[in-house]
Amino acid sequence: MPESGQKTTQGHITDSPVVAAARRTGLLVTLVLGGLTALPPLSMDMYLPALPEVTGALRAPAATVQLTLTACLAGMALGQLVVGPMSDKWGRRRPLLAGMAVYVLATAVCALAPSAELLIGFRLLQGLAGAAGIVIARAVVRDLYDGVEMARFFSTLMLISGVAPIIAPLIGGQILRITDWRGVFYVLTVIGVLLTLVVWRFLHETLPPERRHEGGVAQALRTMRGLLADRVFAGYTLTGGFTFAALFAYISASPFVVQDLYGASPQTFSLLFGLNSIGLVAVGQINGKLLVGRVSLDKVLGWGLGIVVLAGLALLLMTSGVFGETGLAPVAAGLFVLMSAMSLVLPNTNAQALMRTPHAAGSASALLGTSSFLVGAVASPLVGIAGEHTAVPMAVVQLGSALLALACFLGLCRPWRRTEQTGTPA
């Protein structure tokens, strides 16, 4: 984290004993932060194979059940606006532990929900509390690293958290073999308890008192307003948010597309979802290990956006019947390309945005996360707007979101102008 001191050539801060101590346990911190960033995909993806079952068990239409995803996403978005500034004022540990405790309680109640409406309500609370892990994990990374090292660390986190969407649907599918959808939430409750204990024991404070912000809600709002007034920061925030919408359109619609439209089993869906997550992780490692430091972050980001747009266009053409009747394999291939390319976009938008905000990492992280989850929450019901028997809305939302992300990147970030001004790659 930027402190009032000297930076080394690697971008570290040398005069903060808090930061230095945290870096000495770098692997442990990486695993803890990876667990925190893995919790949202676990909360979402373990539940995905059960969505069709929930519609029958709670006697609710698919569009209503998809609102359980929307509610969780909206909660994660709004919760970050609260927890981010709190972590800038009181440090990272206390807000994180409080959020994790509430997450565990809300998840346990979800397992007992007798109706879709109650499930939606407690999924909202689950998201509000789970936001603490998301926003504070990013803020801790900003506390500890800068520049290229921060981008690499985000790619490493994607490797760890990327394991979650690989195994989560597989776990969810196996849970459904021995119990019903409620068992998924019981397992998530146990995971939440274990992660809370790990955070309490191993994640030390990374924001020293002299770097904390005084002030209440008004000060937090002024800080966020100042961040959003930065055109380039806003550009990266919106680029990441719309890209996440394309990702969440896949997450929300794929259980119905793969299982109901193409007749695959929950286990087959889980395997396909895991394969796409492997692509996400693999490309993330290519980004972090091979591209970052050799190619400008903006150039890699632009490549990734271009691939996402092309994949979205291909999916729209296939699902709308332009190529005739299309089976599951070509659609799955298009989704694999789209998912994999996300790893060229999301880590680099986070790194570029946070590099501009060393003075308010918690608030900046909150804005990044809130924009992503709010746009994702809007995308969720849109993919089911035409019912359960067509994949066209999913492809339309994915392509539209990708085009909006590209427009924000080119129109607001304007990387070529910053390259000309600095004489170095943006």
Side-chain angles (χ1 to χ4, degrees):
M1 179 191 70
E3 299 279 347
S4 54
Q6 298 295 319
K7 287 186 179 182
T8 69
T9 55
Q10 288 80 23
H12 289 330
I13 308 302
T14 60
D15 62 350
S16 171
V18 173
V19 172
R23 281 205 203 94
R24 283 196 295 272
T25 56
L27 177 60
L28 188 56
V29 171
T30 301
L31 293 175
V32 174
L33 296 182
L36 291 172
T37 55
L39 192 59
L42 280 175
S43 300
M44 294 290 178
D45 301 342
M46 279 180 62
Y47 174 61
L48 290 179
L51 280 177
E53 180 184 319
V54 175
T55 61
L58 298 182
R59 295 182 176 87
T64 299
V65 172
Q66 282 176 326
L67 287 176
T68 63
L69 296 176
T70 300
C72 190
L73 269 180
M76 289 180 180
L78 298 174
Q80 291 182 69
L81 288 177
V82 176
V83 177
M86 285 173 59
S87 74
D88 282 338
K89 181 178 181 180
W90 291 312
R92 312 304 185 199
R93 267 179 62 87
R94 284 188 290 172
L96 177 58
L97 288 170
M100 292 299 300
V102 176
Y103 172 89
V104 169
L105 292 175
T107 305
V109 176
C110 284
L112 305 172
S115 66
E117 291 75 17
L118 194 61
L119 180 60
I120 291 170
F122 277 95
R123 286 284 277 175
L124 176 65
L125 180 60
Q126 183 191 42
L128 286 167
I134 307 167
V135 68
I136 291 178
R138 273 196 304 264
V140 168
V141 173
R142 188 64 186 93
D143 291 343
L144 299 178
Y145 298 98
D146 197 6
V148 168
E149 287 196 348
M150 182 166 56
R152 285 178 175 152
F153 196 94
F154 276 125
S155 291
T156 301
L157 281 187
M158 184 160 283
L159 170 62
I160 298 171
S161 62
V163 174
I166 295 173
I167 65 172
L170 297 174
I171 295 172
Q174 296 308 310
I175 290 172
L176 293 178
R177 284 181 175 272
I178 59 176
T179 184
D180 60 7
W181 63 272
R182 298 181 189 276
V184 173
F185 286 106
Y186 287 127
V187 172
L188 283 172
T189 301
V190 173
I191 292 172
V193 170
L194 294 175
L195 186 55
T196 302
L197 293 174
V198 169
V199 168
W200 176 77
R201 176 65 180 84
F202 295 110
L203 186 63
H204 303 294
E205 183 59 64
T206 60
L207 186 66
E210 64 270 17
R211 292 290 300 171
R212 297 176 190 177
H213 293 182
E214 295 300 328
V217 175
Q219 177 62 39
L221 292 175
R222 282 195 295 271
T223 299
M224 290 185 178
R225 186 171 65 243
L227 292 172
L228 291 175
D230 180 346
R231 172 180 52 79
V232 179
F233 174 84
Y236 285 120
T237 300
L238 291 173
T239 299
F242 285 119
T243 303
F244 189 85
L247 173 63
F248 200 76
Y250 161 77
I251 292 173
S252 182
S254 60
F256 297 98
V257 170
V258 174
Q259 294 179 74
D260 291 348
L261 190 58
Y262 290 100
S265 68
Q267 288 70 38
T268 299
F269 163 74
S270 299
L271 289 172
L272 289 175
F273 197 94
L275 181 63
N276 289 338
S277 299
I278 290 173
L280 188 79
V281 170
V283 176
Q285 292 314 290
I286 292 173
N287 176 66
K289 305 298 183 184
L290 298 179
L291 298 179
V292 171
R294 295 180 175 87
V295 183
S296 76
L297 297 183
D298 279 331
K299 190 172 292 186
V300 176
L301 206 165
W303 292 345
L305 287 172
I307 295 171
V308 172
V309 168
L310 291 175
L313 178 60
L315 285 166
L316 180 58
L317 294 176
M318 286 188 287
T319 57
S320 60
V322 171
F323 301 128
E325 186 174 348
T326 305
L328 177 59
V331 172
L335 291 171
F336 177 82
V337 173
L338 183 140
M339 283 281 286
S340 299
M342 297 288 175
S343 289
L344 299 177
V345 179
L346 296 176
N348 295 328
T349 55
N350 284 338
Q352 290 285 63
L354 288 172
M355 273 192 277
R356 301 182 67 85
T357 59
H359 56 289
S363 296
S365 178
L367 288 172
L368 284 168
T370 295
S371 64
S372 296
F373 283 99
L374 278 181
V375 177
V378 172
S380 176
L382 291 179
V383 299
I385 199 169
E388 305 165 34
H389 306 294
T390 175
V392 171
M394 177 188 72
V396 169
V397 172
Q398 288 172 331
L399 179 58
S401 300
L403 289 171
L404 286 171
L406 183 61
C408 290
F409 176 61
L410 296 177
L412 295 176
C413 300
R414 303 175 189 174
W416 63 90
R417 292 191 180 182
R418 286 181 291 118
T419 301
E420 292 170 358
Q421 291 169 359
T422 62
T424 58

